[in-house]
């Protein structure tokens, strides 16, 4: 597999993957969504809650706050020596104690580990009016997106590499295709039309339908992919991709071993 980075920011990444098939591209996408572990609030002890929201709603809001997640240092609860009971090797404590008038936000959570904190301090949790109080302890643990959406670390998607061609011998420069192209990648040039940033093509084929002279053709290459990762902030997008590659490789090794055992038996 050849990988080229189209762009990379703190939250988003676009790659060009070449020399793989749709099954592998889709496996990488699914592993990012479902298998890469990140931290999320999983349990709550509420001491006081005079706010307008029930404990369960507060718990739900806390669980959906993305938490920065170190790549090493914590065990998955099911793999921890405490067997999921909760210990410093698998659990981070986030404490909160506030009185109104105050809008409680993610920034009010005090973490037992400075490396496991909300991705943003300004996510609203609840509004406390004068005389109202909220005091609680939340416990965050590693988990996977396939268990609950709160552990889904981001969004991953891909599309086949678009191929858009304009036949200059047939094109009369009428501009119909330019008008209908949603991302605006077809541009007039010297009485004809040229293709701009083809990676932005969404393969809608509106240009083909609009062209009465059949001068424009749209196709794709299913061995090349434009692969996009958007992180919720727990891990960087490149970490999500690399973790997914490692996890998928490990799954393949396990599968190979199981097939080997079956062959020995057979
Ligand atoms: S619609 Fe067809 S003929 Fe008209 S500019 Fe586009 S490609 Fe050329
Ligand atoms: S297929 Fe759609 S997005 Fe792609 S060039 Fe044609 S009109 Fe534009
Ligand atoms: Zn533990």
């Amino acid at each position: 597999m050849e990988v080229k980075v189209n762009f990379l920011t703190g939250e988003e990444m676009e790659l060009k993957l070449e020399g793989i098939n749709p099954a592998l591209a889709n496996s990488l996408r699914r592993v990012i969504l479902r298998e890469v572990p990140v931290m999320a609030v999983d349990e709550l002890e509420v001491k006081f809650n005079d706010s307008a929201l029930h404990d369960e709603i507060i718990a739900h809001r806390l669980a959906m706050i993305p938490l920065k997640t170190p790549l090493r240092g914590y065990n998955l609860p099911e793999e921890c020596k405490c067997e999921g009971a909760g210990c410093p090797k698998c659990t981070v404590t986030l404490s909160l104690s506030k009185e109104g008038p105050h809008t409680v936000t993610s920034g009010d959570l005090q973490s037992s580990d400075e490396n496991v904190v909300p991705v943003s301090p300004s996510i609203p949790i609840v509004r406390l009016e004068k005389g109202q109080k909220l005091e609680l302890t939340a416990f965050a643990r590693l988990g996977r997106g396939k268990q609950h959406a709160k552990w889904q670390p981001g969004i991953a998607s891909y599309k086949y590499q678009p191929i858009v061609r304009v036949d200059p011998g047939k094109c009369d420069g009428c501009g119909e295709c330019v008008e209908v192209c949603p991302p605006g990648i077809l541009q007039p040039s010297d009485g004809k039309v040229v293709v701009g940033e083809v990676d932005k093509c969404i393969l809608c084929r509106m240009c083909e339908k609009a062209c009465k002279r059949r001068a424009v053709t749209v196709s794709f290459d299913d061995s090349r992919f434009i692969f996009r990762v958007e992180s919720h902030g727990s891990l960087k997008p490149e970490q999500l991709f690399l973790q997914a590659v490692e996890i998928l490789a490990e799954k393949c090794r396990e599968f190979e071993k199981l097939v080997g055992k079956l062959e020995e038996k057979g």
Side-chain angles (χ1 to χ4, degrees):
M1 174 168 73
E2 277 181 43
V3 181
K4 188 183 145 222
V5 180
N6 276 0
F7 71 81
L8 172 65
T9 68
E11 296 94 33
E12 275 182 77
M13 178 176 78
E14 189 177 277
L15 303 175
K16 208 169 249 202
L17 308 181
E18 296 197 18
I20 60 170
N21 59 24
L24 182 51
N26 196 37
S27 299
L28 285 168
R29 181 188 72 85
R30 288 180 62 85
V31 170
I32 289 173
L33 298 183
R34 293 172 53 84
E35 302 278 354
V36 178
V38 288
M39 283 280 182
V41 168
D42 192 35
E43 199 184 331
L44 204 60
E45 273 177 21
V46 181
K47 291 177 189 125
F48 294 100
N49 179 14
D50 304 320
S51 78
L53 299 184
H54 294 298
D55 294 356
E56 290 82 356
I57 305 293
I58 301 270
H60 185 253
R61 293 185 71 79
L62 287 170
M64 298 309 284
I65 293 173
L67 300 176
K68 286 185 186 166
T69 301
L71 276 180
R72 313 257 176 268
Y74 285 98
N75 300 326
L76 282 155
E78 62 270 26
E79 292 171 5
C80 193
K81 280 188 181 158
C82 73
E83 297 180 344
C87 75
K89 284 276 168 203
C90 65
T91 304
V92 175
T93 305
L94 298 145
S95 315
L96 190 151
S97 180
K98 283 286 160 192
E99 285 184 31
H102 179 70
T103 300
V104 182
T105 65
S106 48
D108 292 322
L109 290 161
Q110 303 298 313
S111 176
S112 61
D113 180 348
E114 61 182 15
N115 297 311
V116 182
V117 293
V119 163
S120 161
S122 52
I123 301 169
I125 298 169
V126 66
R127 170 77 193 163
L128 296 176
E129 297 304 337
K130 193 174 176 201
Q132 293 182 333
K133 187 176 172 187
L134 180 64
E135 190 176 338
L136 56 82
T137 307
F139 303 96
R141 299 186 179 102
L142 285 176
R144 297 183 168 106
K146 65 183 177 185
Q147 295 167 268
H148 191 284
K150 66 185 175 185
W151 282 302
Q152 186 179 313
I155 297 168
S157 60
Y158 65 86
K159 68 178 177 186
Y160 298 133
Q161 173 66 51
I163 300 169
V164 182
R165 292 200 174 97
V166 177
D167 182 343
K170 291 183 184 172
C171 176
D172 65 1
C174 71
E176 294 289 331
C177 58
V178 177
E179 293 296 316
V180 297
C181 177
I185 62 166
L186 298 170
Q187 292 145 12
S189 172
D190 288 336
K192 306 278 178 188
V193 154
V194 292
V195 182
E197 293 179 84
V198 73
D199 288 358
K200 290 189 178 166
C201 170
I202 57 172
L203 295 168
C204 65
R205 295 185 184 271
M206 297 286 282
C207 51
E208 277 185 341
K209 282 184 199 142
C211 182
K212 294 182 183 71
R213 300 176 67 86
R214 298 197 173 178
V216 58
T217 52
V218 178
S219 60
F220 56 83
D221 180 345
D222 67 2
S223 70
R224 292 190 290 151
F225 300 85
I226 294 169
F227 195 95
R228 212 180 166 108
V229 181
E230 290 174 48
S231 170
H232 293 160
S234 304
L235 293 171
K236 291 179 184 160
E238 67 271 28
Q239 290 176 319
L240 283 179
F241 185 79
L242 292 171
Q243 288 287 298
V245 170
E246 269 183 37
I247 291 168
L248 190 57
E250 182 56 31
K251 281 180 179 292
C252 291
R253 283 192 286 273
E254 275 173 35
F255 184 66
E256 210 173 11
K257 269 190 219 161
L258 289 171
V259 171
K261 278 185 192 164
L262 278 178
E263 281 173 351
E264 279 168 23
K265 279 186 190 169

